[in-house]
Amino acid sequence: MWLIEIEKKYIDSIYTLREWDSIVIVFDAETIFLKGFTFDQINSPRIAKNPFLVIWVIKNDFLFKKNARLPQKKWVDHYNWQPIQNGLTIELPKQNFNFFGIQHKIVPSLVPSIEMKTPLVLKVSLPILEDYITKTSLARLQALSWVIVENDVFIFGEPLLPIQGQTYWINHSFVIPTGFQFENNFISKPLQNKINPTEEFFYVLDTSSSFIKIEKYAIRPLSLSSFRLTVQDGK
């Protein structure tokens, strides 16, 4: 079993671990212990790049440094463990999407992502969509849905249409431009629970952290007939 030890003064550095539901945590004076890691988690970059973590392996009630053959000290587990989400709480204020004054100075800004996500949303102009949809087959539209927001069209589903536009991926209820992610990814779930507990909306973000809120019920299957009716009703 893996165990991580860290001084309490470095608590901010472990908030990214809240994404892992298997982790449990306990506080002991000025020390924090965490366990419940999988092999992949303990060898992940977010662990390797944190200089404040001490990684132990628990064997027969002794603690071994990672990859060490001899034990360092005795381990007595007399603690009351709790899920990491309970131990590392995040306090979110009322909705204000240009800035969230979150505890520990966590702001949901977007930063470039090194991991490419699958695009699931496409934003296009109405004329571009009209030009394509009147020429393509009905089968090409079957897995897609759409909604008009102001002068833009948002298309949901996959595979997306091969037309020019801005693509997005989806993280819980947040529609994020491809190539970007939350600077602190672990806030996406508690943020959704705070501002969108019934999951009735999508929040389409841009890189300045402003947003467009889309009601999910307004999103309809994409077809030539639905397109023509919607455009006609809007004239």
Side-chain angles (χ1 to χ4, degrees), residues 64-156:
F64 294 72
K65 285 288 185 67
K66 187 181 178 183
N67 300 322
R69 294 185 178 183
L70 297 176
Q72 295 282 319
K73 54 186 176 181
K74 184 76 173 178
W75 170 250
V76 179
D77 190 348
H78 57 270
Y79 300 110
N80 293 319
W81 299 85
Q82 59 181 323
I84 188 171
Q85 291 85 359
N86 295 344
L88 300 181
T89 58
I90 298 176
E91 296 181 3
L92 300 173
K94 293 181 179 180
Q95 184 173 333
N96 174 3
F97 227 107
N98 289 319
F99 180 84
F100 286 89
I102 303 175
Q103 187 180 7
H104 296 291
K105 300 179 181 179
I106 299 165
V107 180
S109 56
L110 298 182
V111 296
S113 173
I114 60 174
E115 182 182 355
M116 183 55 64
K117 303 291 187 178
T118 302
L120 295 175
V121 182
L122 175 67
K123 181 177 74 172
V124 299
S125 68
L126 202 58
I128 288 178
L129 178 59
E130 183 174 19
D131 182 66
Y132 179 85
I133 201 173
T134 55
K135 299 174 183 177
T136 193
S137 66
L138 296 179
R140 186 66 181 83
L141 309 176
Q142 286 182 350
L144 303 176
S145 54
W146 74 307
V147 64
I148 297 178
V149 181
E150 298 179 352
N151 296 320
D152 292 315
V153 176
F154 289 89
I155 302 171
F156 293 76

Side-chain angles (χ1 to χ4, degrees), residues 12-212:
D12 286 358
S13 72
I14 61 173
Y15 267 74
T16 58
L17 307 184
R18 291 182 85 261
E19 291 184 21
W20 294 337
D21 293 336
S22 62
I23 307 305
V24 291
I25 190 172
V26 71
F27 297 85
D28 184 4
E30 296 304 312
T31 302
I32 301 172
F33 294 107
L34 305 103
K35 66 179 183 178
F37 297 91
T38 66
F39 178 84
D40 289 339
Q41 288 169 348
I42 208 71
N43 290 284
S44 67
R46 71 178 64 182
I47 297 295
K49 292 180 180 179
N50 190 330
F52 308 117
L53 304 180
V54 180
I55 302 175
W56 300 100
V57 179
I58 305 173
K59 293 182 181 179
N60 300 321
D61 297 327
F62 284 94
L63 294 182
F64 294 72
K65 285 288 185 67
K66 187 181 178 183
N67 300 322
R69 294 185 178 183
L70 297 176
Q72 295 282 319
K73 54 186 176 181
K74 184 76 173 178
W75 170 250
V76 179
D77 190 348
H78 57 270
Y79 300 110
N80 293 319
W81 299 85
Q82 59 181 323
I84 188 171
Q85 291 85 359
N86 295 344
L88 300 181
T89 58
I90 298 176
E91 296 181 3
L92 300 173
K94 293 181 179 180
Q95 184 173 333
N96 174 3
F97 227 107
N98 289 319
F99 180 84
F100 286 89
I102 303 175
Q103 187 180 7
H104 296 291
K105 300 179 181 179
I106 299 165
V107 180
S109 56
L110 298 182
V111 296
S113 173
I114 60 174
E115 182 182 355
M116 183 55 64
K117 303 291 187 178
T118 302
L120 295 175
V121 182
L122 175 67
K123 181 177 74 172
V124 299
S125 68
L126 202 58
I128 288 178
L129 178 59
E130 183 174 19
D131 182 66
Y132 179 85
I133 201 173
T134 55
K135 299 174 183 177
T136 193
S137 66
L138 296 179
R140 186 66 181 83
L141 309 176
Q142 286 182 350
L144 303 176
S145 54
W146 74 307
V147 64
I148 297 178
V149 181
E150 298 179 352
N151 296 320
D152 292 315
V153 176
F154 289 89
I155 302 171
F156 293 76
E158 60 177 332
L160 291 172
L161 302 179
I163 53 180
Q164 181 181 0
Q166 170 68 56
T167 58
Y168 300 79
W169 64 286
I170 297 176
N171 184 359
H172 295 291
S173 295
F174 303 104
V175 181
I176 300 173
T178 51
F180 289 86
Q181 65 179 39
F182 279 128
E183 184 175 11
N184 300 283
N185 267 331
F186 61 85
I187 69 168
S188 59
K189 188 172 182 179
L191 196 55
Q192 172 177 277
N193 293 341
K194 174 68 177 182
I195 69 172
N196 190 27
T198 58
E199 301 184 27
E200 297 178 73
F201 305 99
F202 279 121
Y203 292 84
V204 182
L205 307 184
D206 63 24
T207 53
S208 66
S209 293
S210 60
F211 74 102
I212 297 171

